[in-house]
Amino acid sequence: MCDASAVPAFVPSDGWYEDWPYEVSTLVQVRASVTGPAADRVVQSFLEPLTHNPEADVPEGVSLYYQGGFLVESTPPVDGGAWQLLLASAGEDGFDSLRTAADDLTAALRATPGEVRLTWQELPATRVD
């Protein structure tokens, strides 16, 4: 099991919640960067139970997965960089779905053997047309 201190839980800032424009269709997102010797294995353990959509309209090199009310765009590392996982959800329960996705990622990384590091980046909410 990896060191839990290298895999922090996602703790949204107050500003992240305040950024939500109520009464419009809104997409909330957070980016997870995963690095370390076991990054490939632990990211795959997170993605494996999700549904992969190979026909999704995403940029080259990006894969789209989904489960329940959230989706994940995964981008493998380039030149020794980090796995980039964009977690996203929209709708009335967008925050809850996104936090569930973040909790699932954290749990998968903590449960899989090997050294990894996880960092979070909140992204601004955007209106969905």
Side-chain angles (χ1 to χ4, degrees):
M1 182 180 297
C2 68
D3 179 1
S5 66
V7 183
F10 174 61
V11 180
S13 68
D14 291 340
W16 192 65
Y17 285 112
E18 293 168 3
D19 192 35
W20 176 273
Y22 288 96
E23 299 179 11
V24 297
S25 295
T26 306
L27 176 71
V28 290
Q29 304 175 91
V30 63
R31 182 179 319 280
S33 296
V34 182
T35 60
D40 289 346
R41 183 177 62 253
V42 298
V43 167
Q44 291 307 317
S45 73
F46 167 67
L47 296 174
E48 186 175 297
L50 305 180
T51 301
H52 181 229
N53 183 353
E55 297 174 14
D57 184 21
V58 294
E60 187 175 335
V62 176
S63 295
L64 182 73
Y65 297 82
Y66 63 90
Q67 178 175 312
F70 69 85
L71 60 84
V72 179
E73 289 183 2
S74 71
T75 306
V78 177
D79 297 328
W83 274 91
Q84 299 296 316
L85 302 173
L86 179 66
L87 311 178
S89 185
E92 291 180 18
D93 65 346
F95 282 118
D96 292 338
S97 295
L98 189 59
R99 291 197 64 188
T100 296
D103 290 346
D104 289 352
L105 174 59
T106 301
L109 296 183
R110 288 179 178 170
T112 306
E115 181 185 339
V116 293
R117 286 168 296 289
L118 171 64
T119 58
W120 297 104
Q121 177 189 7
E122 295 174 352
L123 300 173
T126 56
R127 185 176 182 148
V128 178
D129 296 324

